[in-house]
Amino acid sequence: MIRTALARPEWTARARAHEAAVDALTSAHRERRARGERHPVEDFLFEYYNHKPSQLRRWHPGPGVALEEARDSPFAERSGYVVDGAGTARLDVADFVERRGRTLGFVRELLTATLSRPGTHDCFGLHEWAMVHRLQPGEQRHEQLPLRLRQEATDAVVEGHRIRCSHYDAYRFFTPAAVGLNTIRPTREDQVEHEQPACLHAGMDVYKWCFKLAPAVPSELTLDAFRHALRVRRLDMQASPYDVSGFGLDPVAIETGEGKAEYVARQRELMVTSNSLRRRLLEVIETLTPA
């Protein structure tokens, strides 16, 4: 199954370039963490997904790539790899598929189903609004962030729109008052039936599926998915009921016609990238488990 053999200078250079890119992207997060500070927008990708910068920093070549002269390298001890008699390291595909076959099958089914559907562009990010619907002071998930509107006005936005959140991991954080306002009832069990490609949370989740399938996914793809998830998260919070101007982000006021138009335009652009990443990840999965 080996398609590419990389000489040691080449693969070590690629590994160092990946590490440097991750260090640059995560430096602010790591500095804040050392100071005990939090960033409610950017820290989400590390805290909610529970994937550390040190884990993102670890370079993986992906299936079909052989690393020459790797006998004394970290790959000789790294889980998921084998080193042959010539000192060449590679992903142990058979072992990975045996251990992670169920997850591979689920992710393949989920991404394929998502790609088969048209995007829904009338949700306007109202899931974040539904998470604070009719809450009392002190009950918000992001207490360090003030609401852009008064609580009564925020509640009116929720109640004045059609709420159709298709993503279970957003829906499950709806307040009790907002749960019944959603037009569908997504569950973990029917996730494959509801996922649609324009959903911001589904777009961020491509990053999750990449690192969940490590070390089989090339780190270049995982890093691209991380960068994309960060862009998605910024829109997610800009369109939320929270005031994130203190973090250099202008609001996308989805309670107005102008804000809705901006949200939809950016959502459409993000969906294109989300789908491209989904296809790239499916190609990796197909390499691991060809039909």
Side-chain angles (χ1 to χ4, degrees), residues 7 37 39 41-42 47 52 61 63 77 93 112 117 122 126 167 169 174 178 196 203 211 215 249 272 275 278 280 287:
E37 299 175 3
H39 192 300
V41 181
E42 297 180 3
E47 295 173 354
K52 301 175 182 178
E77 304 294 332
V93 173
T112 301
R117 301 184 180 111
D122 60 354
L126 284 161
H167 197 277
D169 282 316
F174 279 26
Q196 55 92 10
F211 73 72
L249 296 172
V272 171
N275 280 343
R278 288 182 180 105
R280 288 171 62 187
T287 299

Side-chain angles (χ1 to χ4, degrees), residues 225-247:
F226 174 82
R227 291 190 178 102
H228 178 62
L230 187 56
R231 291 191 292 270
V232 175
R233 175 61 177 171
R234 287 170 181 154
L235 175 59
D236 193 35
M237 291 302 285
Q238 285 178 282
S240 77
Y242 299 109
D243 181 357
V244 291
S245 59
F247 296 90

Side-chain angles (χ1 to χ4, degrees), residues 145-159:
L145 291 176
L147 296 177
R148 287 195 296 106
L149 310 176
R150 300 187 322 274
Q151 182 68 55
E152 296 81 3
T154 301
D155 294 341
V157 170
V158 176
E159 293 162 9

Side-chain angles (χ1 to χ4, degrees), residues 200-215:
L200 296 191
H201 275 258
M204 285 189 284
D205 277 354
V206 179
Y207 166 59
K208 175 179 72 174
W209 302 128
C210 285
F211 73 72
K212 287 285 188 184
L213 293 175

Side-chain angles (χ1 to χ4, degrees), residues 14-34:
R14 285 177 57 178
R16 283 195 294 268
H18 173 77
E19 292 165 358
V22 171
D23 286 345
L25 283 168
T26 63
S27 61
H29 167 77
R30 289 181 284 110
E31 290 167 5
R32 285 192 300 271
R33 188 176 180 85

Side-chain angles (χ1 to χ4, degrees), residues 149-185:
L149 310 176
R150 300 187 322 274
Q151 182 68 55
E152 296 81 3
T154 301
D155 294 341
V157 170
V158 176
E159 293 162 9
H161 286 78
R162 177 174 177 263
I163 312 296
R164 191 181 185 281
C165 179
S166 59
H167 197 277
Y168 172 70
D169 282 316
Y171 175 67
R172 68 190 176 98
F173 290 110
F174 279 26
T175 66
V179 165
L181 300 178
N182 205 37
T183 58
I184 56 178
R185 300 289 184 269

